[in-house]
Amino acid sequence: MINVLIVEDDPMVAELNRQYVAKVNGFTVIGHASDSSKAVELLATVEVDLLLLDIHMPGMDGLDFLRQLREEKEDVDVILITAASDVGQIQQALRLGAIDYLIKPFEFNRFQESLLQYKAHHFSLDRKNKVDQQELDQMLQKKSHSAQRSDAVPKGLTKTTLKKIIELTLAIDRDTFSTEDIAEISRISRVSVRKYLKFLTEIGYLEENLDYGIGRPIYRYFIKRKNRHVIIPYL
């Protein structure tokens, strides 16, 4: 059984996460902490395999707490579950070893997928003292089966520009935006921007609608909130 500690200051969200965990075989919630101080107390008294950690909490925020855990070499895995979708925060979380990053609101299927992938790795590694390269590659491929690899950028696109386009879509202060909107603020050609937006639509990060309006029809885009996790490999 995998022991889960929920670190979340909102009682309703914590309860929802507890109910979600209860639906996934092989996991049990052994505690709930409303802040990092309480989480530290629980980590010292109970065996915890996995933290479901919020970022925005009173006192020490989730990223600083994760950084502290790594500095103290705590043997615990972490999945970030938060409304924070800032690119910098996502990058920090991944660099600090978060195994996944779920952006609220999300559907149960995405939550379940994250836990099941973790479970497969947890037990695969627990049963072995050593693994060979082939076994390790298979495990790493399974971990990201629902997302494209971070180097899987289509021919003609670059990861640097793709990251810039993603950052602009997150920062733009509009519900929807067009190719022209992004081209104007990025100073990248409209033709190039269109290629990147098309790719982001193909992986499910954006949804594309044709706006007939006045004059010639134009494509307008909006971010599919439940699918924001698909961009994580590209950040």
Side-chain angles (χ1 to χ4, degrees):
M1 189 66 71
I2 295 172
N3 292 336
V4 179
L5 174 61
I6 296 172
V7 187
E8 167 65 61
D9 65 313
D10 186 325
M12 293 181 65
V13 175
E15 174 59 21
L16 178 61
N17 290 342
R18 187 197 66 77
Q19 292 176 12
Y20 274 5
V21 172
K23 293 181 179 180
V24 185
N25 291 333
F27 292 82
T28 184
V29 175
I30 49 81
H32 164 231
S34 57
D35 56 40
S36 59
S37 297
K38 180 63 174 176
V40 169
E41 292 177 12
L42 288 170
L43 285 169
T45 58
V46 295
E47 183 179 343
V48 177
D49 300 304
L50 178 65
L51 288 184
L52 302 184
L53 177 63
D54 190 14
I55 285 185
H56 297 308
M57 299 185 296
M60 182 184 294
D61 71 25
L63 284 177
D64 286 338
F65 181 51
L66 177 55
R67 187 173 292 106
Q68 176 181 301
L69 292 175
R70 296 307 176 228
E71 290 172 352
E72 296 177 354
K73 303 189 187 308
E74 284 283 351
D75 188 17
V76 62
D77 294 308
V78 177
I79 294 175
L80 270 294
I81 298 182
T82 176
S85 58
D86 177 76
V87 171
Q89 290 179 320
I90 295 173
Q91 288 176 318
Q92 287 183 59
L94 296 177
R95 287 167 182 160
L96 288 168
I99 62 172
D100 205 348
Y101 195 109
L102 304 184
I103 301 173
K104 303 173 186 174
F106 51 84
E107 296 182 351
F108 171 71
N109 286 345
R110 177 65 178 90
F111 180 93
Q112 181 182 45
E113 174 187 304
S114 183
L115 263 61
L116 290 178
Q117 288 180 3
Y118 173 73
K119 178 181 175 182
H121 285 263
H122 179 83
F123 287 118
S124 292
L125 292 174
D126 266 3
R127 289 194 298 265
K128 298 175 180 290
N129 291 322
K130 295 181 179 180
V131 294
D132 60 27
Q133 187 65 56
Q134 184 177 0
E135 290 173 310
L136 179 58
D137 289 345
Q138 288 175 344
M139 284 189 278
L140 293 176
Q141 287 167 9
K142 287 178 182 177
K143 182 177 179 181
S144 59
H145 79 274
S146 65
Q148 296 194 25
R149 290 177 49 186
S150 59
D151 60 354
V153 176
K155 186 176 180 180
L157 306 186
T158 69
K159 289 176 64 176
T160 300
T161 303
L162 179 61
K163 179 181 173 183
K164 181 176 182 179
I165 297 293
I166 290 171
E167 289 174 346
L168 290 173
T169 65
L170 289 167
I172 197 165
D173 188 23
R174 300 168 195 167
D175 291 333
T176 66
F177 51 87
S178 66
T179 301
E180 289 77 6
D181 292 333
I182 299 297
E184 182 178 351
I185 58 178
S186 68
R187 302 199 176 194
I188 299 171
S189 74
R190 180 185 167 283
V191 172
S192 293
V193 168
R194 170 71 180 138
K195 292 178 182 177
Y196 287 93
L197 296 183
K198 182 178 179 182
F199 171 66
L200 291 171
T201 301
E202 290 173 351
I203 66 173
Y205 170 66
L206 297 178
E207 182 159 320
E208 177 186 77
N209 291 315
L210 192 57
D211 182 1
Y212 291 92
I214 300 173
R216 67 179 179 83
I218 61 172
Y219 285 104
R220 300 200 66 82
Y221 302 86
F222 67 88
I223 298 171
K224 298 173 72 173
R225 290 179 60 85
K226 68 178 183 179
N227 286 354
R228 284 186 293 184
H229 65 277
V230 302
I231 64 171
I232 290 177
Y234 304 101
L235 300 177

